Every structure is written in structure tokens, then in C-alpha cells.
Amino acid sequence: MSAPENVPSAAEPANGAAPETVAVPTAVPAAGPVDPAAPAAAPVPAPVAAAGRKLPRAVGVALATAGLLAVTATSAAVTVAVGKPDARPAVAAAPAKASPSASPGASASPTATASAAPTVAPTTAAPTPVAPAPKPTSTLKGSVSGGRHEGDLRYFLLPVPDGGESYGPSDGMKLTDDEVAELFGNQDGIMRILGSYGYKDAASRMYRTADGKAEVTVTLLRLGSTSSASEFVKGYTMKLDPIEIDGDRNAHGYVRKPKQQAYTGSMTGISSQGDVQYTIDVDVKGTPDKALLNELMKRQREWLSSGG
């Protein structure tokens, strides 16, 4: 489709939105970050402080359409705490010491006490090293030619790095229309808007990095053509502080800095490669370093370009 006109910007959102969220009559209000100044708030020591804890992260997204409809995008990252029990090696009991003794006497047949039976100290065997679990082998297939991506869209998701932990299926997940609509706040007409860009399907993957310091969510939307995906990106803006994505002048980057370093910060990168639009969200403790987002965006762009 042709490029949308009067694209809503972060400074002047469509439909008279408030500065923090996109004001749309049918929009679901976005949840803001936890305010550490509130009386009942308690600092969270790390992104993995408690099992199943939700990290609220809702931001306004404006999609340019003929009617200048503003759309709110929301997503939530789940933090999982993984604990390891302390190793407690077995301690061998000390053997009893036997001391045979004899009572001398004038008799020709000496009387002696019976000696204690020999005791063998048990040995503690060295623990058998546990081999790491083999990395799952994916059976998904895909190919790319002239910017057109064929096959299972999950094949094109940024792979989980060595040592990373995947949340959910190792191959990622296909998203239903309802799940896609939820990404944009379940607003009326969102699937129709996506349909105007030739929307076909969507896939997502979430994982934790090997050092446990960041959680990464990758979302792909396969659209009708390279131009449709490019136009979609042009009209996709967020109500956060912008940052530059190195090596991709068409990409948008955004950051949300926490009010305290003990709280969670986040970054989002948005771009397209061929007929696929991709979004990468990163949650970290404290102020995010955009170098991590730049590296992830580069890897995803190359993966989509080469097809693996």
C-alpha cells in the first residue's frame, strides 16, 4: 500500500493522545512502570527476584492508517527465578581404633583379650560429571529469495544464543490472531489495519541470556511485501525516549530508563527485512545499554537476510 500520510509522532500522537499513552476511546490503558516512590512499593533486587513475577511494560504505539487510527501496543515479560541447591559432600565416619591387650601371668597358658575386627574406612567417590543436555535440533524449514520469506515463520526467529534459556518451546511459538491483537491492546479494527499491510502470520520467541542479566523477546510479522513491511515500520512509533539503531537508518529504537537502578529498564527496536517486520524487546536490571539492542537487531537483520 502507499505510504500513510500524517504519521503520528511521539511528540504529537494521533487523536489528541496524552503525553504518556496514546488516547484512543477503545484503547486498553497501558500499565506504567512501578513507582519506587509509592509508600507500599518495595525495591526488587534483580530481574529474577521472584518466580513468575510479571514485569509491567506497556507503551503506546501509533500505526499510521488512512484514518490516522492510533494503536496501543502492550507486552509483558515474565521473569523466572532458578535456584540451585548447595552441594553437601558426604563425610566418611572415622574408624574405631582397636587396641589389643594381654594380661601376663605366672601360668604357662597366658590369657589374652580378643583383638577387635579390622575396620575399613569408606571412601567417597568423586562425583560423576553431568554432561550438558544436547541442544534441541529444530526441524523447521524456511527460505528467502528477493526479500520474500517462505516456510515456517518460526524458522526466521533470532536463535537462542549458547547458554541461553528459552521460555516455552525451543522453536518459538506461532501467534494466533487474538495474541497478535493483544500485542496492540486489543483495539477495535487492529486485524483489519494489519490486513491492509497484507498481514499473513506472526511468531515470537522469548529467552534469557546466558549470564541471566537480560530477557529478550523477538516478534516477527510476515506482511504482504517488502514495501508493506517498510511502510508498517515507518508508521510504528512508541511513546518512549528514542535511541539510534546502528547500521539501519530505517529502524526505530526506544528506551525506558528505570527511576532506580534496582528496577527494570527496557529497550525496543523496530525494523523490517524483506516482507517481515521484526520487533526486539530487551528487559534488564537498571539502565539499559543500547549496545546490546544494536547487536540483537543486527543479528536478526542478518538472519532474515540470509535465511540462516
Side-chain angles (χ1 to χ4, degrees):
M1 60 176 290
S2 60
E5 298 178 354
N6 300 324
V7 177
S9 64
E12 297 179 353
N15 298 335
E20 294 298 330
T21 58
V22 178
V24 180
T26 58
V28 178
V34 178
D35 184 1
V44 180
V48 293
R53 177 176 175 82
K54 296 287 185 180
L55 298 179
R57 177 165 51 83
V59 292
V61 172
L63 284 181
T65 64
L68 300 181
L69 175 64
V71 183
T72 300
T74 60
S75 61
V78 180
T79 300
V80 179
V82 179
K84 295 183 179 180
D86 294 334
R88 299 182 181 275
V91 178
K97 184 175 181 180
S99 301
S101 61
S103 299
S107 167
S109 300
T111 302
T113 59
S115 62
T119 303
V120 179
T123 58
T124 303
T128 303
V130 179
K135 192 172 183 178
T137 301
S138 176
T139 59
L140 302 179
K141 296 185 181 300
S143 62
V144 58
S145 176
R148 185 179 181 87
H149 295 80
E150 301 286 353
D152 195 315
L153 187 59
R154 293 174 297 171
Y155 175 83
F156 299 102
L157 287 165
L158 181 67
V160 177
D162 292 340
E165 178 187 356
S166 176
Y167 296 137
S170 59
D171 281 335
M173 299 178 293
K174 293 182 178 180
L175 300 182
T176 65
D177 285 356
D178 288 343
E179 290 168 333
V180 171
E182 187 176 357
L183 295 175
F184 298 96
N186 288 316
Q187 296 189 54
D188 292 340
I190 182 59
M191 297 312 297
R192 176 181 55 80
I193 295 172
L194 291 173
S196 69
Y197 290 96
Y199 170 77
K200 296 179 180 179
D201 56 351
S204 183
R205 162 181 283 147
M206 181 179 179
Y207 67 86
R208 183 173 59 180
T209 56
D211 58 12
K213 295 181 178 180
E215 289 178 338
V216 178
T217 304
V218 182
T219 305
L220 306 182
L221 301 180
R222 179 156 42 189
L223 304 177
S225 64
T226 297
S227 60
S228 293
S230 178
E231 293 301 325
F232 184 89
V233 171
K234 288 180 181 179
Y236 194 142
T237 58
M238 303 179 73
K239 308 298 291 184
L240 295 174
D241 295 332
I243 55 176
E244 184 178 355
I245 302 297
D246 296 341
D248 186 353
R249 63 182 182 180
N250 297 320
H252 305 317
Y254 300 92
V255 63
R256 181 180 65 81
K257 299 178 182 179
K259 294 182 179 179
Q260 292 184 6
Q261 290 304 302
Y263 285 77
T264 300
S266 63
M267 299 179 289
T268 297
I270 303 158
S271 191
S272 65
Q273 178 62 45
D275 59 355
V276 173
Q277 183 272 325
Y278 60 96
T279 303
I280 296 181
D281 297 301
V282 182
D283 290 291
V284 297
K285 177 183 175 182
T287 301
D289 181 357
K290 75 171 187 176
L292 173 58
L293 180 61
N294 279 326
E295 176 63 22
L296 293 171
M297 292 290 286
K298 176 183 177 182
R299 287 171 51 201
Q300 180 65 81
R301 182 169 64 249
E302 292 173 347
W303 187 262
L304 284 166
S305 179
S306 64

